Amino acid sequence: MTRGAGAESLRARMHKRLHRTRIGMRKAGVDYFRGDGSDWVALAALLVAVPAIAGGTLWHPEWIAPTALVLPIIAGGLLLRPANLLVLYAASAAALIVEAALFGPYDQGRDRITPGTVLVVAAVGLSGLLVAQFRSRVGVPWRRGGTMLFDLRERIRVQSTLPKLPKGWHHEMALRPAGGQSFSGDFVVASRTQGGNILEVVLTDVSGKGMDAASRALLLSGAFGGLLGSLPPHGFLTAANGYLLRQDWDEGFATSVHLVLDLESGDYELFSAGHLPGLQLSAGTGRWEEKTGEGPLLGVYDGAQFDPVKGTLRPGDVLMLFTDGLVEAADRDIAEGMDRLTGEAERYVHSGFAGAAWHLIEAVAKDVNDDRALLLITRDG
């Protein structure tokens, strides 16, 4: 029994040690690819690769050319910190010197180390060093950079998600960044306030487009999301205007439209800060009517006033809010673009507007090199 217990205890200890080793290796791997771990493992692997490639070149130069040393140099530029990258470069330079010494003068055979080979390896090394220094200055390793951008994109997407509406109401939103990119200067923040009876939606178009406006849009969407519901509706755009003025950006203006909708009665107020008018379809008349409030651009001057326009969404009515990228183009003015938008929207009057936002952008502004956003709110008939 003692011998069996001892054997069992030994197996248990070995199992625990193996488990701790496995967990430690997994954690080190995760930390490394998140950019939090040391790069000594990558450095060691690349230092082993350099003599291996050099040996292959000496053994069979027809298959493993001397310029193959650029492979670990490229990998080092992506994986290593600048200080460790210099160690890798020293090893690569030593390998080139050994190859040149063993092959002999470059003018005595086609497999020799030529000046062109040295120049290619040196140029690739310089490029890798510049990339590594840029990553070190920014403070975001390449392994973490892509993950961070993906996380930012997902946060913008989640923040733009519209809240669920009660029965009888339908909404949807489509957002298309300029040039097919993942980041946009247009964004939406929304919330149900006053016990869920009021829907507040803010659609904002930041100056610029695509990646140029994405960083400002990300900052503003977080700030606007915190303001929405924390202030009375009449004070939101005033507070947002003050926030932009305090940023003191060179290109810091934005247009915005703020919808305050009573989900019980259908009454709404539409505040505008230099934004395009909304379009309301009246089920009774079948006509589209422009709805716009009065107010200047956000971030232009202090003390701006924003006066709303009031309306009511009756059963069967539709309200569209959109940014200028949807209706403005170089070959047409905004009025023509809005006519084209309402003309396309007529196709969905009888079939319902479910899924219409994406299709309307595709039909009206598919190839426009600008950010495009469209928000639809419908009340069932």
Side-chain angles (χ1 to χ4, degrees), residues 139-160:
V140 179
W142 78 277
R143 304 179 302 275
R144 187 59 175 165
T147 304
M148 184 187 71
L149 291 176
F150 175 79
D151 182 60
L152 288 176
R153 187 189 69 180
E154 290 303 301
R155 287 179 183 275
I156 294 174
R157 183 185 63 82
V158 171
Q159 190 164 264
S160 298

Side-chain angles (χ1 to χ4, degrees), residues 49-69:
V50 168
I53 292 175
T57 300
L58 294 172
W59 173 62
H60 218 307
E62 290 82 5
W63 287 94
I64 305 177
T67 53
L69 283 173

Side-chain angles (χ1 to χ4, degrees), residues 187-335:
F187 66 88
V188 172
V189 292
S191 177
R192 289 179 63 176
T193 60
Q194 299 184 23
N197 296 324
I198 302 297
L199 172 68
E200 293 192 51
V201 182
V202 177
L203 174 61
T204 302
D205 182 0
V206 179
S207 58
K209 58 187 177 182
M211 293 295 292
D212 294 334
S215 58
R216 284 176 284 131
L218 177 63
L219 181 61
L220 290 182
S221 64
F224 286 10
L227 292 173
L228 194 66
S230 301
L231 296 171
H234 287 75
F236 174 81
L237 288 181
T238 302
N241 182 58
Y243 179 81
L244 258 73
L245 289 172
R246 290 192 297 272
Q247 304 312 304
D248 196 23
W249 289 329
D250 292 336
E251 192 179 3
F253 67 89
T255 69
S256 189
V257 60
H258 179 203
L259 172 67
V260 184
L261 173 63
D262 190 323
L263 296 173
E264 294 183 347
S265 65
D267 296 335
Y268 68 83
E269 289 183 315
L270 193 64
F271 299 83
S272 178
H275 202 82
L276 293 175
L279 293 172
Q280 180 179 347
L281 172 65
S282 175
T285 63
R287 296 179 178 178
W288 291 93
E289 181 182 357
E290 292 187 6
K291 297 287 186 177
T292 182
E294 296 293 334
L297 298 170
L298 295 178
V300 176
Y301 63 88
D302 198 7
Q305 293 186 350
F306 304 94
D307 299 321
V309 60
K310 297 183 179 181
T312 301
L313 286 179
R314 298 178 177 84
D317 286 3
V318 180
L319 181 64
M320 288 197 302
L321 304 176
F322 45 89
T323 57
D324 59 2
L326 190 64
V327 295
E328 186 179 24
D331 57 346
R332 67 168 187 257
D333 58 19
I334 292 179

Side-chain angles (χ1 to χ4, degrees), residues 41 92 101 277 286 306 339:
V41 175
S92 301
F306 304 94
D339 290 340

Side-chain angles (χ1 to χ4, degrees), residues 76-117:
L78 297 174
L79 294 171
L80 302 179
R81 296 178 175 88
N84 290 340
L85 189 59
L86 294 177
V87 176
L88 177 66
Y89 287 177
S92 301
L96 274 178
I97 293 173
V98 171
E99 290 177 2
L102 295 179
F103 276 134
Y106 66 87
D107 56 354
Q108 294 184 5
R110 59 188 180 89
D111 295 327
R112 303 301 193 263
I113 305 300
T114 65
T117 301

